[in-house]
Amino acid sequence: MKQGRTETISIRMISCAFMVLALAIFKPFGLEVWQWQAYVHLLAIFALGLFSCFLTEIILLYIVRMPRSYDRGVSYIISRNLRFQCINTPLVSLLICLYRHYMMSSLVEGNKLSSSNYLETLVIIAFLSFAIGLYWRFKFRSRYLAAELEETKLLNEQLKKLQTSSAGVPRQTEDNTPVGGTDQDSQVTLEGTTNEHVTLDLSNLLYIEAVGNYVKIVSKRDGEIHTNMLRATMKQMKDELQTYPMIVRCHRAFMVNLGQVEQISSNSRTMQLVMRHSHDAIPVSRSNVNKLKELLG
């Protein structure tokens, strides 16, 4: 938490410094007539920028209720920073406009408070804010893509270990009593709401998908991919397979056999499980990502 707060302060200070540097180069608001005093005004504008950032952070945290969290991924950070800019840009423009009126209008008549002055200030700050935002967006995206690549590599290593050890994991009942056999040598019969049923070796099950009032059961048999439709719900399938630790629900519409997952792929938006043999990419919902990570860990 402390490290995140320190990084946030550092980011805001760098952003304000960039804004002041641009103002020092282009000298808007009649800064060129102030000679050495222009640097005092620029220092004051830097302080106003930091103060505006502080107010915007409070608004985001307590009113918009968007805490700064680096654990929520790059999309969340980019979305939060966009909202930060939308709030901070008009706010800092107003503060600078007021400063121009009260502190910089004695030598420059055009600094008097007016709607045209505010619009001028807003356009300048909006342009600078856009440029600063592009820089941080690229920086954060690069950082999180690298972190996600490393995390995905680790998850795939953990998946391989789980698959290797699963052959010796006995099946258990709801009260954790071993019933003999393992997930790899079990034969199961999945029944629907009608008289239809599907019998298969559990090790050959790839995944189950909800399709309307039916479930699609995808499995490997005799070296080929087979699909069976069964009139049933995902809840029924979950109840029937709950004693098999390698069968997990990763999405509202999907259950997968972790023993048949070829690899885990992820990006800033989603995580997917690529299945062996069929090479289908099964999505992992956000609500199930942490559960999957805990299971693999």
Side-chain angles (χ1 to χ4, degrees), residues 219-237:
S219 61
K220 178 177 70 72
R221 189 164 64 247
D222 300 326
E224 296 182 354
I225 301 300
H226 289 264
T227 299
N228 296 95
M229 300 299 292
L230 193 64
R231 189 175 181 86
T233 65
M234 287 298 286
K235 184 179 185 305
Q236 286 177 266
M237 296 297 99

Side-chain angles (χ1 to χ4, degrees), residues 4 22 35 85 126 134 136 141 144 158 209 256 265 275:
Q35 299 181 359
Q85 287 178 294
L134 283 181
W136 288 120
R141 182 176 291 277
Y144 279 104
Q158 293 171 333
E209 179 184 1
V256 299
S265 65
M275 308 307 297

Side-chain angles (χ1 to χ4, degrees), residues 33 45 77 87 148 150 152 188 206 224 267 278 288:
V33 306
I45 291 174
I77 291 296
I87 297 172
E148 284 177 351
E150 185 64 28
T152 302
V188 294
L206 299 182
E224 296 182 354
N267 53 44
S278 69
N288 285 292

Side-chain angles (χ1 to χ4, degrees), residues 42-277:
L42 288 172
L43 186 61
I45 291 174
F46 176 79
L48 287 175
L50 288 180
F51 178 69
S52 176
C53 288
F54 175 73
L55 288 180
T56 304
E57 285 288 350
I58 291 177
I59 293 171
L60 279 176
L61 183 59
Y62 296 105
I63 299 178
V64 184
R65 298 193 179 280
M66 288 190 72
R68 173 167 289 276
S69 174
Y70 294 97
D71 298 330
R72 302 191 184 188
V74 63
S75 297
Y76 176 84
I77 291 296
I78 290 176
S79 175
R80 188 184 189 280
N81 284 345
L82 181 60
R83 296 192 185 192
F84 180 93
Q85 287 178 294
C86 290
I87 297 172
N88 186 66
T89 299
L91 179 59
V92 73
S93 298
L94 177 61
L95 293 176
I96 291 176
C97 230
L98 291 173
Y99 182 83
R100 289 174 61 188
H101 176 76
Y102 290 107
M103 304 300 298
M104 298 177 64
S105 59
S106 58
L107 296 182
V108 182
E109 185 67 24
N111 280 331
K112 293 290 185 180
L113 185 62
S114 65
S115 57
S116 59
N117 268 3
Y118 178 73
L119 182 61
E120 175 195 22
T121 307
L122 182 62
V123 169
I124 293 172
I125 299 303
F127 175 78
L128 295 177
S129 180
F130 175 75
I132 294 169
L134 283 181
Y135 168 77
W136 288 120
R137 178 168 182 165
F138 174 78
K139 186 177 180 64
F140 279 115
R141 182 176 291 277
S142 299
R143 177 198 295 184
Y144 279 104
L145 287 178
E148 284 177 351
L149 183 62
E150 185 64 28
E151 183 182 42
T152 302
K153 180 181 177 181
L154 177 61
L155 288 175
N156 277 290
E157 291 175 355
Q158 293 171 333
L159 174 65
K160 299 303 180 185
K161 292 179 181 179
L162 182 64
Q163 290 173 341
T164 301
S165 62
S166 66
V169 178
R171 291 180 288 125
Q172 297 178 329
T173 60
E174 292 185 8
D175 59 356
N176 296 324
T177 302
V179 297
T182 66
D183 278 2
Q184 299 302 316
D185 59 13
S186 301
Q187 190 175 70
V188 294
T189 298
L190 302 176
E191 298 180 352
T193 55
T194 62
N195 293 328
E196 297 177 334
H197 64 272
V198 175
T199 301
L200 73 161
D201 289 331
L202 193 63
S203 60
N204 291 331
L205 174 65
L206 299 182
Y207 65 90
I208 300 174
E209 179 184 1
V211 183
N213 294 325
Y214 291 80
V215 292
K216 181 171 72 173
I217 301 171
V218 181
S219 61
K220 178 177 70 72
R221 189 164 64 247
D222 300 326
E224 296 182 354
I225 301 300
H226 289 264
T227 299
N228 296 95
M229 300 299 292
L230 193 64
R231 189 175 181 86
T233 65
M234 287 298 286
K235 184 179 185 305
Q236 286 177 266
M237 296 297 99
K238 182 179 179 182
D239 291 342
E240 291 189 33
L241 296 169
Q242 63 181 343
T243 57
Y244 303 96
M246 292 294 285
I247 310 300
V248 298
R249 190 167 185 176
C250 63
H251 188 275
R252 179 179 58 83
F254 289 94
M255 291 179 66
V256 299
N257 180 2
L258 291 180
Q260 289 289 356
V261 175
E262 184 174 22
Q263 69 172 0
I264 300 172
S265 65
S266 65
N267 53 44
S268 60
R269 296 180 180 274
T270 184
M271 176 183 289
Q272 295 180 327
L273 306 177
V274 181
M275 308 307 297
R276 291 174 182 164
H277 312 296

